[in-house]
Amino acid sequence: MNINLQVKNGETSLKALILVGGFGTRLRPLSCTRPKALFPILNKPLLQWTFERLVKNGIREVILAVSHQAEILIKQQKIPKNGLKITYSRDLFKKPLGTGGPIKKAEKLVGRDSPFLVLNGDIFADIDYKEILKTHEKKKALATIALHNVKDPSRYGVAELTKENRIKTFVEKPPRKLAPTNLINAGVYILSPKIFEYIPQGRKVSIEREVFPKLAEEGRLYGHIFDDLWIDIGEPEEFLEINRTLLNSTALLQKHKMRTRGKIEEPVAFDKNVLIGEESVVGPYAVLGRNVTIGNNVYIKDSVVFPNAVISDFSIVNGAIIGENVVIGKKVKINRGCILGDNVKIEDNVTLANRVSICPAKEVSESVLKPKCVI
Ligand code: GTP
């Protein structure tokens, strides 16, 4: 096909379509009240990081494929656009379209003139989109998938390549032993407009299960391997991991010279108006959102606390994600892998075992000692 993408002063006419809908079941209960793309990474919504990377790559036009609720929440966040032109492509009312349906739904906004970039909205990837486009053009592909090497590919789509980087087989979530390689779909694609002919209209479609295997069979699917930082924040542990990884990156470290009688163990990240009481130890790897208040003698490490939460005296939080406006009483113990939804209230003296999830706005007055419980 005729590729007429223009690049002027480092800017490109390549449009980006970001998938920002879906249920985010693995990040519940925090994903009940925000799309994954609005989860804060070092106190900045993931979508803001993505916008910044797009601008850095010279991209000027973004289409957000959203559910009704996601659109409202994104607009409320007032993320700086840095010159990006943003339009919204809405899923059908209360009917998620999966990972392929929203691409078909955005057909008119994307247009049929040139290839376009598609990003899963729940990944953090330090990737040069122009390089994938180059591979796409060179190979005259119909779709080119960014591929990343991981230890355990069983949770992802796995690709097997020929020497020419053509994807021979594409298998979604194979059992670990049956995975043909460790090269996984990084959730970043360049697609040519012909792709629209492969996606049925008006229903949920999985691009990974229904479209990519077919393209692989037809020899029109290519891979572009990249080695830089990549994390899919779809699971709680991965969400903590990307925060840890960025805290470790020295370029991003702020100096924390705040006046506190508590002890700060770097690396940590604090948003505005964080208060820390006497004798508390915060960090390493604590990310505290705007207006978070930490009482006296609190221990908090390896955790992310969303804005406006309060953690009272003598409480311990280790390896947990604490939602917005959560109030944690005194002498509370929150163990690894716990997730507290927005507006949760935990009474004094409560202990939560490992990986307990508390639904938004619940009040918990008794300890939950059975791991993995959902309350
Ligand atoms: P889980 O339920 O935890 O698997 O999450 P999910 O529903 O978001 O599914 P998945 O992680 O496979 O989604 C991959 C990407 O597609 C993410 O960026 C989602 O935001 C996006 N996505 C998934 N389903 C939809 C949908 O129905 N509509 C739109 N617009 N995006 C979707």
Side-chain angles (χ1 to χ4, degrees):
M1 78 169 291
N2 212 0
I3 293 175
N4 47 11
L5 278 176
Q6 290 160 13
V7 183
K8 242 196 264 168
N9 306 328
E11 291 188 11
T12 157
S13 58
L14 183 70
K15 288 184 189 172
L17 173 66
I18 312 181
L19 304 181
V20 196
F23 291 119
T25 36
R26 293 162 298 157
L27 274 180
R28 279 184 187 160
L30 286 166
S31 52
C32 300
T33 40
R34 61 181 64 67
K36 287 186 277 186
L38 290 184
F39 272 58
I41 314 275
L42 291 201
N43 293 320
K44 189 158 89 179
L46 172 56
L47 192 60
Q48 186 171 345
W49 290 92
T50 308
F51 282 178
E52 288 169 5
R53 186 157 295 113
L54 290 171
V55 170
K56 203 170 110 189
N57 276 261
I59 289 170
R60 288 285 167 260
E61 225 182 311
V62 173
I63 300 156
L64 297 178
V66 287
S67 63
H68 181 69
Q69 194 205 16
E71 179 178 356
I72 296 170
L73 293 166
I74 290 167
K75 286 180 174 163
Q76 278 171 0
Q77 285 279 322
K78 298 196 171 31
I79 296 173
K81 292 180 185 160
N82 295 322
L84 284 175
K85 180 184 165 222
I86 295 165
T87 43
Y88 290 83
S89 171
R90 296 163 191 103
D91 284 6
L92 303 173
F93 188 62
K94 291 202 171 171
K95 204 171 159 202
L97 291 173
T99 49
I103 300 175
K104 179 72 180 170
K105 185 91 193 347
E107 183 172 354
K108 281 210 181 97
L109 291 172
V110 170
R112 282 203 158 244
D113 299 338
S114 42
F116 57 101
L117 173 69
V118 175
L119 304 176
N120 282 356
D122 58 351
I123 53 146
F124 188 102
D126 196 5
I127 183 166
D128 186 339
Y129 306 122
K130 285 172 290 193
E131 290 299 313
I132 319 173
L133 182 63
K134 270 191 209 157
T135 305
H136 185 81
E137 292 177 338
K138 202 167 113 198
K139 302 292 181 187
K140 296 189 171 43
L142 207 153
T144 304
I145 307 180
L147 299 172
H148 195 65
N149 245 307
V150 296
K151 272 196 199 126
D152 176 11
S154 61
R155 287 191 294 120
Y156 307 97
V158 183
E160 191 179 6
L161 293 178
T162 63
K163 273 191 202 133
E164 293 76 37
N165 279 19
R166 186 170 59 74
I167 298 181
K168 276 199 293 193
T169 49
F170 184 85
V171 215
E172 187 63 12
K173 301 189 176 73
R176 197 167 179 172
K177 278 186 193 152
L178 297 183
T181 68
N182 284 39
L183 281 176
I184 59 122
N185 169 7
V188 176
Y189 326 119
I190 297 283
L191 304 178
S192 288
K194 200 170 171 44
I195 196 81
F196 294 124
E197 292 164 29
Y198 287 75
I199 311 174
Q201 194 159 11
R203 71 161 170 91
K204 193 171 181 178
V205 179
S206 162
I207 195 160
E208 299 90 345
R209 292 181 194 275
E210 294 180 53
V211 181
F212 288 157
K214 199 164 169 198
L215 295 181
E217 258 174 44
E218 292 179 11
R220 305 295 309 276
L221 186 66
Y222 282 80
H224 174 90
I225 302 171
F226 74 104
D227 299 322
D228 294 320
L229 176 62
W230 177 87
I231 295 183
D232 163 351
I233 68 148
E235 307 253 356
E237 186 43 47
E238 292 165 332
F239 171 68
L240 288 174
E241 188 188 330
I242 183 62
N243 278 281
R244 271 196 303 266
T245 305
L246 294 186
L247 281 173
N248 277 336
S249 120
T250 47
L252 285 162
L253 279 187
Q254 321 151 13
K255 289 257 179 293
H256 291 98
K257 286 184 187 152
M258 59 189 292
R259 255 186 273 153
T260 166
R261 275 184 276 173
K263 188 172 171 211
I264 294 168
E265 294 203 1
E266 303 275 359
V268 294
F270 301 153
D271 207 338
K272 287 183 199 136
N273 297 329
V274 166
L275 290 177
I276 299 171
E278 285 177 31
E279 309 289 329
S280 289
V281 182
V282 178
Y285 303 107
V287 180
L288 308 184
R290 204 171 356 99
N291 305 327
V292 165
T293 303
I294 308 284
N296 300 327
N297 295 283
V298 169
Y299 276 82
I300 170 158
K301 68 171 187 179
D302 203 8
S303 298
V304 176
V305 183
F306 288 23
N308 306 316
V310 175
I311 303 176
S312 309
D313 303 350
F314 297 100
S315 287
I316 300 174
V317 177
N318 182 8
I321 312 172
I322 311 292
E324 234 173 291
N325 305 319
V326 166
V327 177
I328 296 176
K330 294 180 180 163
K331 297 188 180 168
V332 168
K333 194 160 182 243
I334 303 207
N335 283 301
R336 291 207 73 82
C338 286
I339 310 184
L340 276 53
D342 295 340
N343 304 305
V344 159
K345 188 161 185 250
I346 309 282
E347 304 274 355
D348 294 350
N349 300 308
V350 162
T351 293
L352 301 183
N354 287 338
R355 299 179 68 184
V356 168
S357 297
I358 312 285
C359 292
K362 284 267 175 186
E363 294 199 12
V364 181
S365 54
E366 283 176 22
S367 292
V368 182
L369 300 175
K370 193 168 164 220
K372 297 190 193 175
C373 261
V374 179
I375 306 288

